[in-house]
Amino acid sequence: MTSPAAATLAPPAPLKSKSARPADRGTHVRLPITGMTCATCAGRIEHALNALPGVDAAVNIAAEQADIRFDPEQTAPAQLVAAIENAGYDVRPERRMLAIHGMTCATCAGRVERALAAVPGVRRAEVNLATEHAAVEAPAGLLRPAELIAAVRDAGYDAEWLTGDSADHQAAAQADATRQRRLLVQVAIAAALSLPLLLPMTGIPLPFWLQLVLATPVQFVIGARFYVAGWKALRAGTGNMDLLVALGTSAAYGDSLYLGLSHAPHSYFDAAAVVISLVLLGRWLEARTRRATGAAIRALLELRPETARVERDGDEIVLPLAAVGEGDIVVVRPGERFPTDGRILSGQSQADESLLTGESMPAEKRPGDHVTGGAINGSGLLRVETTAAGEDSTLAHIIALVEGAQSRKAPAQRLVDRVAAVFVPVVVASAVAAWLGWWLATASATAGVLPAIAVLVIACPCALGLATPAALMAGTGAAARAGILIRDAEALEHARALDTVVLDKTGTLTEGRPEVTEVLPGEGTSIDRLLALAAAAQTGSEHPLARAILGRAGGLALPPLEAFQSLPGLGIAATVGGQAVIVGNRALMRQHGVAVALESEAQALEARGCTVMFVAEARPRSRLLGAIAVMDPVRPTAAAAIQRLHAMGIRTVLLTGDNRATAQAVAGIVGITDLRSEVLPDGKRDEIARLQSQGHSVAMVGDGVNDAPALAQADLGIAVGSGADVAVQAAGITLMRGDPALVPDAIAISRATHRKIWQNLAWAFAYNLLGIPLAGLGLLSPVIAGAAMAFSSVSVVSNALLLRRWHPESM
């Protein structure tokens, strides 16, 4: 009889044909499931899925996925996910990117967003007008490129599926350059045809037929894009900037044609043609300036080498980077970029990691040191064992974080979205009202033509749509160049509103590379014996203090480690060479009834800033074996960083699991007066919650596993990138190097970016609120309105680009 475990490890059986749900028809998906622990879990999910109409499902616990064939006419993808979640499990989420072509304003972005969000299975869709990218989130396995692209095309635009590799970005850059060149040619032709139409303004007459010949190709050939895009918008039941331009210039062209055929002495051909020329010029300038906002991503992508020199069977061969995997040994020559993350096996050199971490000085690298893909090798020849490549590499994670931050919407964007949804109908209504008002005031139906055209032309939802994403892209890009990775717009919003920053001590304010300064053996214990026992017990720990003891005990014969238990906030318990040993703080000693006989010596060391670890025998009798003092130097920039935070009006708190005397010594050096010591990991989280309950907006800065709960609890978690992965995952901002100065830098760039967002929004709203009434009152000609509209978007993006000048010392 087959056991349940064996059954779940076997490959999934072929799906059986059921009545009303034939296996050879319908849609087939594989959903990755998290939370399963046994065959019962798999059975529960199978039962929940197969209870849905038109569904035939098999769940493989070994592969952690459900193989599902379903009839979409009977069951929607969202129902499959709901059935799994209702059974108590989760479908792993997936986030993918699409390049969107043809958007011109915020209303376009909103329409694409709604079209993508309506695709079955999509949980969230966000469209960034500045990058012309769409980010789509859905349960993994449900995203189908063809469906998403079809939805975008049905909305009147075009789309491409982005895989995220450098080839994608290179192809997109080439396509963008081609579009810009084509647009520049159109601008030049439109300008050449439009400029003669301005001659009558100088007193030089121009025959009607010549004006018609010059204006017609501008209106219907070069300006065809406005008709096409405007028609697509109308067909989708909405409007956009192209529709406004098409309506305004068509009215001017049509009225001019009527007046010319009626032998009237004037016409508006110049207004129609020049407006089209200026709008196209504005879009070309906007595209150029908008491209500059993505410079940070392009700079990171350029760090990726195309190939790697790999050792295979004693020879060096050149392979595409995609063919390099974990464990491969790559050879990196002087001046080359490291193709992958790895550990140096042989050779000495330096690594320039400035574009990754913002650190300007090259770091010395020796055998055993870690190197990061994308950094530049110095003067040495290195052999490096690959530890991560491709999408698992540090560089790939950095790029993903920056792209993710730039694709997310800032909270202020919600206001823009609401305005954009009604913008075009309001503008059209305003233009009609202006025309009717002039007609009633002058008794002439043609008197309001130019004001109405000016209203249509000057209205600019483009500036509104670009105000937030352009600033966000420029700000997060500047931060990335400084070694600060902002996860999303919400993190940026929290950062600028902070009034309290809580900092961990070890690895945050201190170097995180402690050294043993004193060894105090107890009665009947030698220094070597004390070090050997403590080092043997610490061989199961990755804590910096453990590495310090192991380093000091180098060369000593260590008894074998037989058992190990980490005691967060207290220390460790271990069995070494048959002896039960505990290593930790006073609280751990008290738990085991160990009398601390070296208290006065320990207090004197702690007053100097040392951390004292007590070593005791736990069984058969509890007795103190001695104490080991470790000093972790304070980072050179810590005091200046705390001073900058205070100057920014931010309160600082030191929160550490270390004893009070050591905490006070470090706090005194860096200038923190508010400290909490001997705090366990859960206590750190509770302390953050207490500060929040008092009305404070709190950031937590830490680098260790025990900081993760506090990082998650805080309004903003700031993780030191050299720390534990779990800390980085729990944080909204990651510092790529362990420099406390980056904490005020992160807050400064967040505040600067927030200011740019609201400056841009204020300009965009004020421009429309003032421009539309002035145009309606006849105080702006269509030509001036067209020029103003064309340059409004450029001004918004140019203002955002001022953030590129930001550097850590500038704020």
Side-chain angles (χ1 to χ4, degrees):
M1 185 174 178
T2 305
S3 69
T8 58
L9 291 172
L15 299 175
K16 298 178 182 179
S17 178
K18 304 179 184 180
S19 60
R21 57 170 89 168
D24 58 342
R25 291 190 291 134
T27 303
H28 181 230
V29 296
R30 289 187 177 89
L31 300 183
I33 299 174
T34 59
M36 293 191 295
T37 57
C38 62
T40 304
C41 299
R44 185 180 303 132
I45 296 171
E46 273 189 14
H47 178 75
L49 288 170
N50 287 322
L52 298 172
V55 174
D56 202 341
V59 178
N60 188 327
I61 191 172
E64 294 185 308
Q65 70 177 17
D67 193 290
I68 307 169
R69 195 176 297 278
F70 68 101
D71 182 353
E73 294 183 359
Q74 299 184 64
T75 297
Q79 291 176 280
L80 301 175
V81 177
I84 294 170
E85 291 175 345
N86 291 338
Y89 306 90
D90 293 309
V91 178
R92 193 165 60 247
E94 178 182 18
R95 180 180 172 87
R96 301 302 296 266
M97 304 292 292
L98 291 91
I100 310 295
H101 305 304
M103 295 189 298
T104 58
C105 63
T107 52
C108 299
R111 186 158 73 253
V112 173
E113 202 167 89
R114 290 190 294 274
L116 289 171
V119 174
V122 172
R123 286 181 170 174
R124 181 176 181 177
E126 291 184 333
V127 176
N128 187 320
L129 179 63
T131 60
E132 297 183 311
H133 284 178
V136 182
E137 290 183 5
L142 289 186
L143 285 180
R144 295 182 176 274
E147 292 180 4
L148 296 173
I149 291 172
V152 174
R153 287 175 176 165
D154 288 344
Y157 305 90
D158 203 1
E160 291 178 66
W161 188 254
L162 296 177
T163 61
D165 58 23
S166 56
D168 247 355
H169 288 270
Q170 289 173 0
Q174 290 173 356
D176 185 52
T178 301
R179 285 194 296 271
Q180 286 191 41
R181 286 193 298 269
R182 188 182 301 121
L183 184 56
L184 183 59
V185 170
Q186 292 176 344
V187 169
I189 295 173
L193 294 172
S194 301
L195 288 175
L197 294 170
L198 299 176
L199 290 176
M201 298 174 62
T202 66
I204 301 175
L206 208 63
F208 167 72
W209 66 267
L210 183 56
Q211 292 186 49
L212 181 63
V213 168
L214 291 171
T216 300
V218 177
Q219 184 72 41
F220 298 110
V221 179
I222 296 174
R225 59 165 60 215
F226 301 112
Y227 290 101
V228 172
W231 169 246
K232 288 180 178 178
L234 279 177
R235 194 174 59 186
T238 184
N240 60 6
M241 188 64 228
D242 297 288
L243 180 63
L244 296 180
V245 173
L247 288 174
T249 58
S250 296
Y253 181 91
D255 199 34
S256 299
L257 187 61
Y258 169 77
L259 291 172
L261 294 175
S262 303
H263 304 290
H266 62 274
S267 71
Y268 309 129
F269 281 128
D270 57 342
V274 172
V275 163
I276 288 176
S277 301
L278 288 171
V279 171
L280 292 178
L281 175 62
R283 289 195 178 171
W284 178 74
L285 291 171
E286 178 191 317
R288 283 180 58 84
T289 52
R290 201 160 60 179
R291 177 174 168 77
T293 62
I297 286 290
R298 289 195 300 277
L300 289 170
L301 288 166
E302 288 169 2
L303 299 182
R304 288 174 165 172
E306 295 295 324
T307 59
R309 194 174 290 103
V310 181
E311 288 187 359
R312 292 281 171 87
D313 301 323
D315 295 324
E316 289 183 17
I317 60 173
V318 177
L319 294 176
L321 191 59
V324 181
E326 186 175 342
D328 281 339
I329 297 174
V330 298
V331 178
V332 186
R333 294 176 179 173
E336 293 182 340
R337 291 195 182 276
F338 293 100
T340 63
D341 293 356
R343 181 175 57 85
I344 296 177
L345 298 178
S346 64
Q348 294 188 8
S349 188
Q350 312 81 35
D352 179 357
E353 300 174 335
S354 56
L355 278 176
L356 293 168
T357 67
E359 176 58 65
S360 58
M361 296 299 294
E364 291 292 328
K365 296 295 181 181
R366 297 179 175 82
D369 287 348
H370 179 80
V371 294
T372 305
I376 301 174
N377 184 24
S379 57
L381 178 68
L382 300 177
R383 294 173 64 250
V384 179
E385 180 184 6
T386 299
T387 56
E391 297 307 307
D392 296 325
S393 68
T394 300
L395 179 57
H397 289 159
I398 292 173
I399 292 171
L401 274 174
V402 177
E403 285 186 325
Q406 294 184 346
S407 66
R408 297 281 191 183
K409 286 189 175 182
Q413 186 67 25
R414 299 188 189 103
L415 173 62
V416 176
D417 291 343
R418 289 196 294 270
V419 172
V422 297
F423 189 89
V424 173
V426 168
V427 170
V428 172
S430 300
V432 171
W435 176 64
L436 289 174
W438 279 91
W439 188 3
L440 293 173
T442 63
S444 171
T446 60
V449 171
L450 284 183
I453 293 169
V455 168
L456 291 172
V457 170
I458 199 169
C460 188
C462 309
L464 283 173
L466 291 169
T468 298
L472 190 61
M473 288 180 66
T476 53
R481 286 192 294 273
I484 302 164
L485 301 183
I486 300 173
R487 183 178 295 275
D488 51 33
E490 284 78 10
L492 184 145
E493 183 76 11
H494 287 308
R496 66 99 195 168
L498 293 172
D499 61 36
T500 304
V501 171
V502 178
L503 301 105
D504 178 46
K505 179 179 73 69
T506 304
T508 302
L509 291 176
T510 63
E511 295 281 1
R513 295 192 297 270
E515 296 179 353
V516 173
T517 58
E518 297 283 345
V519 180
L520 305 175
E523 186 177 347
T525 306
S526 67
I527 290 178
D528 285 354
R529 175 64 178 166
L530 179 63
L531 279 172
L533 285 173
Q538 299 277 15
T539 52
S541 173
E542 291 295 324
H543 196 280
L545 299 180
R547 291 196 293 270
I549 294 175
L550 287 165
R552 178 63 180 270
L556 295 178
L558 304 184
L561 176 66
E562 297 163 6
F564 175 86
Q565 181 184 7
S566 176
L567 306 170
L570 298 172
I572 63 166
T575 302
V576 291
Q579 185 173 5
V581 176
I582 54 173
V583 182
N585 57 22
R586 290 177 178 81
L588 181 61
M589 299 299 114
R590 286 195 297 269
Q591 276 191 8
H592 287 77
V594 177
V596 179
L598 301 170
E599 184 63 38
S600 59
E601 294 92 332
Q603 288 179 0
L605 290 166
E606 289 168 348
R608 288 163 41 195
C610 293
T611 297
V612 178
M613 291 179 289
F614 298 96
V615 184
E617 183 182 40
R619 291 189 306 273
R621 62 192 180 93
S622 298
R623 68 184 183 94
L624 185 70
L625 298 175
I628 299 173
V630 175
M631 171 72 82
D632 188 5
V634 174
R635 294 186 186 272
T637 58
I642 298 303
Q643 188 176 1
R644 280 185 64 200
L645 287 171
H646 291 166
M648 297 166 75
I650 295 174
R651 170 191 182 190
T652 57
V653 179
L654 176 60
L655 189 61
T656 178
D658 217 332
N659 63 80
R660 186 164 187 82
T662 302
Q664 283 179 326
V666 172
I669 294 171
V670 301
I672 296 178
T673 57
D674 191 351
L675 65 93
R676 315 280 195 277
S677 58
E678 301 180 22
V679 183
L680 299 178
D682 286 346
K684 289 185 177 183
R685 181 188 59 203
D686 295 341
E687 188 62 32
I688 298 293
R690 187 185 68 79
L691 289 167
Q692 289 171 324
S693 69
Q694 295 173 355
H696 294 291
S697 180
V698 184
M700 172 69 194
V701 186
D703 76 328
V705 173
N706 61 347
D707 297 323
L711 288 167
Q713 173 66 40
D715 297 288
L716 176 67
I718 302 178
V720 178
S722 56
D725 286 345
V726 66
V728 173
Q729 291 298 321
I733 291 179
T734 299
L735 310 180
M736 289 304 296
R737 63 183 191 275
D739 185 351
L742 291 181
V743 176
D745 287 343
I747 297 171
I749 186 61
S750 297
R751 289 180 174 180
T753 304
H754 186 264
R755 283 196 300 271
K756 287 297 178 191
I757 288 174
W758 284 103
Q759 285 171 10
N760 283 349
L761 287 175
W763 162 252
F765 277 112
Y767 169 85
N768 284 288
L769 290 174
L770 292 174
I772 292 175
L774 289 175
L777 292 171
L779 300 177
L780 294 177
S781 73
V783 171
I784 295 175
M789 186 279 292
F791 287 98
S792 63
S793 298
V794 177
S795 64
V796 163
V797 179
S798 298
N799 185 47
L801 284 176
L802 293 176
L803 284 169
R804 296 181 67 194
R805 299 180 182 177
W806 180 89
H807 55 88
E809 293 79 24
S810 66
M811 297 288 175

